[in-house]
């Protein structure tokens, strides 16, 4: 109760008879902006409206075949969800773990932590002119946890027992147990009209099953609508001049372009050449080689196109090679550790990445949750009940990726890898590394055809030196997605986003239940009661000092389990943009996500 009162005091007001709790919600009761704030500090409230932003799709696909971004099958256009669907709360880009009222006028968290009540703004409207009502919020939630959407929603919302309509503009989410993160989680869910998918001609006014809502134009309440579309080439989002929240403090200075055109190209080479030719205005780069060697040309020389790196304070995330422990050859932790020892990151960073990256260390890099050194007494207390079910190394120094500089060499690492493989029953005989059954050690690396073999080739060569054959298997993106959904792979590469405030999403990525759920985020297939218990500790933490030991203990268990081979991350967003057509705020907010900053807050000259 004392904690909740502190939360509400920090949020600006306390629930009393006839009064609502606050204009926003902070995970630890610490909002930067008061109820009277006019705009976010990083936004330009005087930015002119108009003009056009031409983008390239950020998706690894060459087309789209639906307008529904929530169903499992098919692919929706890039950026659709963020541009078309408002949420109850919206986060700021210069603080973490906070949300401010967008569709919701205010939010109240119950003293027992078992519910969050949102009152909607009476002026909130969908694109068709209908008011946004509590029934729409409930309909959106019920649909997202239904049978036709990604199971990630079910995992994320597992601790939500349901939603009730209190009155026309008041909705209450009820929780199975106190969870400090859930008000932000449900506050960030997209809200769409209950009328989206109605088909009067076919079903007499009843809504179609959600998996049949494919090309129906979404009925959202966001700042943009779908405009002209050329299938296979581009989609244009047009700004709604009647957007209900255009003067709201959380939206002031945003959604400045009249049109946002998203163009689709067949491959990365075509995208780069189109940028140089002036076919679009902004592109984010993930390839260090492209950035160092190929982002150049006449328009860059003239100053029309500009290369810029914007430093951020986002978590590093944990982009990794994922080892599928459902496969028999990858069940032994010693085998998985041996595979990681064959990756020579330092050589790759020098020879291939132009020194542009830093090695990913663990799940929580660049956050307070990152585990280092020996476990604390609090971490040991959480880990002790699981001593027999986690690697013994968990109770020692934190796992760190192997290095090939300083006192370490690749040869040393490969010798250690050979010993681990031998201890696991793999020995070289009859021309191959074989297990006691005589099976050769051969694995498949699955990737989409767009990425190519270049970055994985050095790892493949090093694995050959210890007798492991890793075959590179490129497939088209649709098949790639399908195989990941069904866990039909040995090894693949995934760029996991990081967070300052881990929560229920880690049950989807590493939870035992998710391991058996098709299309879940648990690609590694890990099933560990220790992990399940630690995720429960994380989601149930009522104070930050309770959260940190739990997430650090989880960090140790996952990294010492060697289900991930850490890759690399960058501390900047690399953007090339047209300086003659676009203008921007002086500073990028520290927690902005790449081109999302431009979409939200830049404007046309």
């Amino acid at each position: 109760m004392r904690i909740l009162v502190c939360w509400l005091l920090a949020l600006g007001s306390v629930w009393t008879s006839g009064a609502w709790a606050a204009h926003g919600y902070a995970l630890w009761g610490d909002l930067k902006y008061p109820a009277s704030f006019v705009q976010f500090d990083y936004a330009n409230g005087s930015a002119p409206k108009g003009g056009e932003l031409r983008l390239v799709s950020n998706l690894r696909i060459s087309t789209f075949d639906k307008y529904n971004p929530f169903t499992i099958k098919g692919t929706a256009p890039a950026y659709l969800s963020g541009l078309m669907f408002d949420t109850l709360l919206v986060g700021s880009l210069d603080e973490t773990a906070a949300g401010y009222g967008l569709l919701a006028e205010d939010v109240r968290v119950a003293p027992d932590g078992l519910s969050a009540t949102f009152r909607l703004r009476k002026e909130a409207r969908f694109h068709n002119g209908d008011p946004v009502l509590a029934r729409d919020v409930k309909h959106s939630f019920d649909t997202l946890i239904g049978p036709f959407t990604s199971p990630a929603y079910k995992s994320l919302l597992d601790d939500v027992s349901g939603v009730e309509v209190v009155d026309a503009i008041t909705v209450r989410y009820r929780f199975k147990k106190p969870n400090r993160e859930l008000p932000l989680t449900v506050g960030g869910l997209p809200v769409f009209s209950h009328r989206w998918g109605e088909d009067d001609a076919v079903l007499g006014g009843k809504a179609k099953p959600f998996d049949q809502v494919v090309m129906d134009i979404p009925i959202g309440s966001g700042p943009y609508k779908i405009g002209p579309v050329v299938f296979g080439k581009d989609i244009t989002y047009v700004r709604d001049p009647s957007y209900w929240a255009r003067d709201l403090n959380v939206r002031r200075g945003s959604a400045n372009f009249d049109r946002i055109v998203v163009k689709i190209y067949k491959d990365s080479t075509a995208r780069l050449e189109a940028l140089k030719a002036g076919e679009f205005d902004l592109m984010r780069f993930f390839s260090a080689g492209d950035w160092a060697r190929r982002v150049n040309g006449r328009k860059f020389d003239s100053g029309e196109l500009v290369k810029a790196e914007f430093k951020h304070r986002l978590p590093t995330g944990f982009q990794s090679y994922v080892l599928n422990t459902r496969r028999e050859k990858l069940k032994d932790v010693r085998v998985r550790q041996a595979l990681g020892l064959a990756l020579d990151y330092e050589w790759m960073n020098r020879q291939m990445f132009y020194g542009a990256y830093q090695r990913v260390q663990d799940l929580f890099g660049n956050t307070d949750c990152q585990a280092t050194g020996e476990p604390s007494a609090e971490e040991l207390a959480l880990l002790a009940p699981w001593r027999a079910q986690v690697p013994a190394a968990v109770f020692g120094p934190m796992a760190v990726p192997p290095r090939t500089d300083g006192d370490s060499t690749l040869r040393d690492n490969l010798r250690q890898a050979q010993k681990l493989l031998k201890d696991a029953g793999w020995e070289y005989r009859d021309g191959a590394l074989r297990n006691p059954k005589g099976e050769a050690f051969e694995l498949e690396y699955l990737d989409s055809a767009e990425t190519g073999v270049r970055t994985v080739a050095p790892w493949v060569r090093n694995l050959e030196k210890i007798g492991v054959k890793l075959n590179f298997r490129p497939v088209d993106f649709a098949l790639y997605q399908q195989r990941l959904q069904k866990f039909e792979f040995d090894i693949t590469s995934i760029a996991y986003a990081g967070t300052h405030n881990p929560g229920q999403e880690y049950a989807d990525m590493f939870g035992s239940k998710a391991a058996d759920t098709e299309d879940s985020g648990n690609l590694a297939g890990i099933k560990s009661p220790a992990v399940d218990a630690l995720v429960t500790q994380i989601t149930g933490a009522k104070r930050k000092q309770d959260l940190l030991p739990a997430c650090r203990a989880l960090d140790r268990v996952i990294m010492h389990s060697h289900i991930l081979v850490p890759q690399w991350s960058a501390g900047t967003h690399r953007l090339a943009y047209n300086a003659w057509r676009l203008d921007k705020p002086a500073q990028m907010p520290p927690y902005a996500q790449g081109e999302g900053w431009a979409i939200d807050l830049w404007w046309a000259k």
Side-chain angles (χ1 to χ4, degrees), residues 157-178:
L157 301 168
D158 188 56
D159 284 340
V160 181
S161 59
V163 186
E164 63 182 79
V165 173
V166 178
D167 59 41
I169 60 169
T170 309
V171 63
R172 179 173 295 124
Y173 281 91
R174 295 201 175 276
F175 309 138
K176 298 174 184 176
K177 58 185 178 182

Side-chain angles (χ1 to χ4, degrees), residues 10 96 138 154 158 174 178 190 199 219 240 249 263 279 325 343 356 363 409 429 489 592:
T96 63
K138 176 174 171 54
K154 287 85 164 171
D158 188 56
R174 295 201 175 276
D199 193 331
I219 306 177
D240 181 1
N249 51 9
K263 300 192 174 189
E279 293 183 16
T325 62
L343 182 69
L363 303 183
T409 66
R429 64 180 185 275
F489 69 96

Side-chain angles (χ1 to χ4, degrees), residues 357-375:
Y357 296 128
Q358 301 82 45
R359 185 80 190 265
V360 169
Q361 298 292 313
D362 60 343
L363 303 183
F364 301 119
N366 203 30
T367 76
D368 292 340
C369 282
Q370 184 173 26
T372 57
E374 299 283 344

